[in-house]
Amino acid sequence: MLTESVMLAKVSKEPGMTKLINHYLVNDSWHLVDLPGYGFAKTAGKEDREKWLSFTKDYFISRDHLVHVLLLVDASLPPQQVDLDCADWLAECEVPFAIAFTKLDNVKRSTKKVKATPPARNIADFKRALSAKWERLPWCFETSSKTGTGKSQLLGYIASLRQLHVANVPT
């Protein structure tokens, strides 16, 4: 969505496509880094899952040049505990982050057991869950890779982070 290059990252209906850290050089000046997410954690064995969790946490804490983390949350699903836990952990460790709600245009189908909720309600429920514990929410963006919704806002936010980082880097 951000780069308009469909060849840049693999996308699949099955979770767990990203199995390695992928570094993307943007405008020959900064890197966008894609880490394996929960999809990988769900498809990996217990030992690999533990290594992934330890590695990911270490990556966020030990990166001197880490400017910001975008926590991607699937808005087509009700709030997932793993997403809430991740947001809590990032906040507790003082890792700067924003939340990008994805799949804004994707409404899951209801089944006999589960009634689907619209993305807007899922987002509101997610924010409400965080607000119960936090004084202030991080920046949140509502996005869709299909329609481009939220793209300009998210790119503007990333650009402002980049400008702030460049202005504060010692020369």
Side-chain angles (χ1 to χ4, degrees), residues 6 10 49 64 67 93 99 130 132 140 153 166 170:
V6 294
K10 289 185 179 183
R49 212 173 15 254
D64 292 334
V67 174
C93 293
I99 298 172
L130 291 180
C140 294
Q153 294 88 348
V166 169

Side-chain angles (χ1 to χ4, degrees), residues 26-48:
V26 180
N27 297 333
D28 292 323
S29 63
W30 62 281
H31 286 90
L32 181 66
V33 180
D34 184 18
L35 296 174
Y38 316 129
F40 169 75
K42 286 179 184 176
T43 60
K46 182 179 179 184
E47 185 177 322
D48 286 338

Side-chain angles (χ1 to χ4, degrees), residues 34-69:
D34 184 18
L35 296 174
Y38 316 129
F40 169 75
K42 286 179 184 176
T43 60
K46 182 179 179 184
E47 185 177 322
D48 286 338
R49 212 173 15 254
E50 288 171 2
K51 285 181 188 174
W52 167 82
L53 185 59
S54 174
F55 171 79
T56 303
K57 287 182 174 184
D58 184 57
Y59 184 90
F60 289 138
I61 292 173
S62 66
R63 282 287 181 254
D64 292 334
H65 299 292
L66 178 72
V67 174
H68 214 73
V69 171

Side-chain angles (χ1 to χ4, degrees), residues 107-118:
V107 179
K108 299 282 186 194
R109 291 187 182 160
S110 295
T111 65
K112 289 181 182 179
K113 294 181 182 179
V114 180
K115 184 175 181 344
T117 54

